[in-house]
Amino acid sequence: HLPAEGYVEGPGQSGDADSGHVFTRLSHYPVTLFVSMPLHEFRAAWWRRVQVPFALLLLMSLLGLAMYRYTLRQQLGWAAQRKQADDAVLASEREQRLLVDHLLAGVTVHDARGVVLSANAHACRMLGLRIEQMRGLGATETDWQLLREDGQRMRRADEVASALDA
C-alpha cells in the first residue's frame, strides 16, 4: 500500500537541517533506493538545471513586453494622426460650407449621376424650393437648366454629371 516512488521533506539524519528525501522501489528486487540531501543542495541543483531556460524565458518576456509597448505607441500615434486629419477635414468642410452658403450665387452639389446632394440658400431661393425638396432630385427630373459663364444654356452632353455617366 506504499507508493512506488516519491519525495518527502523533513529533518535529515543529523536532525539539524531540513532535507529532501527521494525514494523509489525497484520493481524486480525487494529493494527501495533512498537518497537524502539538504534542501539548499536540492534547490541549488534545481536552479542549475533551470537557470538557462528561466533566463531565456525572462528575456523573451521582456522582449515581448518591449514589442507590445512599441506597437501600442505606434498605434496611439497613428490614431492621433488620424484624429488630427479627421479634425482638419471637418474644419475644412465647415469652412467650405460657410463660404458656399454665403455666396451671392446659387450653388447645387450633384453626385456622379446628377442627383442633387445639397444646395446653398441662394439656390433654394432662386428655384423656390426647400433643400429637403431638392435633395435627391436628378438632373432629368428638374425644369432648370445649367448655364455657361456667358449665360447660354449648357447642353446636357456638356454637363459634368452627364460626362461622368458616359
Side-chain angles (χ1 to χ4, degrees):
H1 302 298
L2 296 174
E5 58 184 37
Y7 171 79
V8 178
E9 289 184 10
Q13 289 177 336
S14 62
D16 56 350
D18 282 337
S19 295
H21 311 281
V22 178
F23 63 92
T24 185
R25 196 169 357 151
L26 301 178
S27 59
H28 299 331
Y29 303 101
V31 175
T32 300
L33 294 177
F34 189 80
V35 177
S36 180
M37 288 177 66
L39 283 179
H40 66 85
E41 288 183 30
F42 262 117
R43 290 182 183 123
W46 171 81
W47 180 245
R48 281 191 301 275
R49 273 186 84 181
V50 299
Q51 68 185 1
V52 171
F54 182 78
L56 288 175
L57 181 64
L58 181 63
L59 180 65
M60 294 295 282
S61 297
L62 291 174
L63 183 62
L65 180 63
M67 291 302 295
Y68 171 76
R69 289 180 57 127
Y70 173 77
T71 303
L72 183 63
R73 262 186 269 130
Q74 288 291 324
Q75 288 178 346
L76 290 174
W78 294 334
Q81 287 176 349
R82 182 181 174 110
K83 177 147 179 37
Q84 278 182 328
D86 288 347
D87 290 347
V89 167
L90 288 174
S92 176
E93 286 176 357
R94 281 193 300 270
E95 183 179 336
Q96 289 176 8
R97 169 55 66 198
L98 182 70
L99 291 172
V100 168
D101 284 345
H102 290 88
L103 280 176
L104 294 177
V107 177
T108 58
V109 178
H110 301 260
D111 67 6
R113 297 182 325 264
V115 175
V116 176
L117 297 175
S118 67
N120 68 356
H122 198 72
C124 292
R125 279 193 304 274
M126 287 173 58
L127 297 169
L129 299 171
R130 293 188 321 275
I131 184 63
E132 295 81 19
Q133 293 172 310
M134 292 177 63
R135 214 174 265 134
L137 289 177
T140 58
E141 301 170 10
T142 60
D143 293 333
W144 71 73
Q145 289 284 319
L146 298 178
L147 302 177
R148 296 184 182 280
E149 291 176 4
D150 60 6
Q152 294 181 2
R153 285 188 170 182
M154 185 180 292
R155 295 181 313 147
R156 289 275 185 211
D158 292 338
E159 295 176 10
V160 173
S162 297
L164 290 175
D165 287 337

